[in-house]
Amino acid sequence: EADIYQTPRYLVIGTGKKITLECSQTMGHDKMYWYQQDPGMELHLIHYSYGVNSTEKGDLSSESTVSRIRTEHFPLTLESARPSHTSQYLCASSEFLSGAPKAFFGQGTRLTVV
Amino acid sequence: KQEVTQIPAALSVPEGENLVLNCSFTDSAIYNLQWFRQDPGKGLTSLLLIQSSQREQTSGRLNASLDKSSGRSTLYIAASQPGDSATYLCAARSQTGANNLFFGTGTRLTVIP
């Protein structure tokens, strides 16, 4: 059902490396989100966007940054990865206040920083 | 800030049983409420979405209800199957601020064959 894709699915990377997690959706949704989820824990919103050139910080402080140059693309970047960044990162999208906006999620990227 | 709570945190039932998962939220000013399923290490799959004006939604063996005034939603699963084993999350979309989704911590369901 969902046309939202995240790459890579799994990533193991060394401390200090710069990484970009990709998220793309083909549904033309205005709003996109990044959530962080530790194993067995709740989802925390770290970034969201209302549309092109819009980026906002979420409820959980994060050292990552995001950009929204195209409607369909919402990449998340960590300039210098640390072991504390090890987590699962989930991307989502929804229409913005259209009818009953339904959120669609990608399959997630499981990041391990060693 | 909206707070969403799910009870129980974990539930084990024998195959074939009917079960109810509970979700409560503190701010009744919601746009809608969405139930998701999450398999281990995977993303979220949307199960049901209930608009704030609706009382319930049904899809197959699943039925979700919403009582906005009391800040509660339930997910009813009929005739549970081992394939239903997963974590179930509810999320309330706020009417205020950025209209973001607020998630509960989930109920981990195990259906025993």
Side-chain angles (χ1 to χ4, degrees):
Chain A
E1 176 193 49
D3 293 318
I4 178 165
Y5 307 99
Q6 289 185 243
T7 57
R9 286 291 314 281
Y10 303 93
L11 179 62
V12 180
I13 200 162
T15 298
K17 299 290 186 183
K18 177 180 178 179
I19 58 171
T20 296
L21 308 185
E22 302 287 348
C23 177
S24 296
Q25 51 96 4
T26 59
M27 297 172 281
H29 287 166
D30 297 313
K31 205 160 181 191
M32 296 188 74
Y33 317 77
W34 276 103
Y35 289 86
Q36 184 174 344
Q37 185 184 33
D38 293 326
M41 303 297 286
E42 63 191 291
L43 278 78
H44 291 285
L45 181 67
I46 52 175
H47 298 283
Y48 61 98
S49 166
Y50 289 105
V52 172
N53 294 327
S54 156
T55 61
E56 305 285 344
K57 291 190 180 297
D59 305 316
L60 181 68
S61 175
S62 174
E63 294 169 342
S64 58
T65 59
V66 291
S67 62
R68 190 87 182 276
I69 298 172
R70 304 198 314 265
T71 298
E72 62 271 21
H73 195 213
F74 190 40
L76 180 145
T77 298
L78 278 165
E79 290 292 333
S80 179
R82 295 207 300 268
S84 61
H85 296 141
T86 295
S87 189
Q88 174 157 258
Y89 293 84
L90 292 162
C91 180
S93 73
S94 68
E95 292 183 356
F96 180 48
L97 292 183
S98 166
K102 183 177 177 180
F104 295 88
F105 278 78
Q107 286 297 299
T109 294
R110 183 169 294 281
L111 172 66
T112 303
V113 183
V114 298
Chain B
K1 181 191 166 187
Q2 177 76 271
E3 291 184 6
V4 180
T5 305
Q6 291 186 246
I7 295 172
L11 179 65
S12 290
V13 299
E15 182 177 1
E17 275 206 3
N18 304 325
L19 58 103
V20 175
L21 308 181
N22 296 291
C23 172
S24 61
F25 45 94
T26 55
D27 185 356
S28 61
I30 64 169
Y31 205 67
N32 60 42
L33 188 135
Q34 197 166 354
W35 281 92
F36 294 89
R37 169 186 172 137
Q38 185 176 33
D39 292 292
K42 301 288 183 63
L44 277 65
T45 300
S46 180
L47 297 172
L48 289 164
L49 179 145
I50 312 177
Q51 297 186 47
S52 61
S53 59
Q54 296 178 320
R55 298 285 292 183
E56 64 179 89
Q57 280 286 325
T58 298
S59 175
R61 294 183 293 109
L62 305 179
N63 176 277
S65 69
L66 175 64
D67 184 342
K68 208 173 77 160
S69 61
S70 67
R72 292 182 182 179
S73 176
T74 62
L75 179 67
Y76 174 82
I77 302 177
S80 57
Q81 303 170 358
D84 295 331
S85 298
T87 296
Y88 291 81
L89 296 157
C90 69
R93 183 178 292 278
S94 175
Q95 280 187 340
T96 58
N99 307 109
N100 287 327
L101 282 171
F102 290 86
F103 280 86
T105 51
T107 294
R108 182 174 295 182
L109 172 67
T110 303
V111 181
I112 304 164

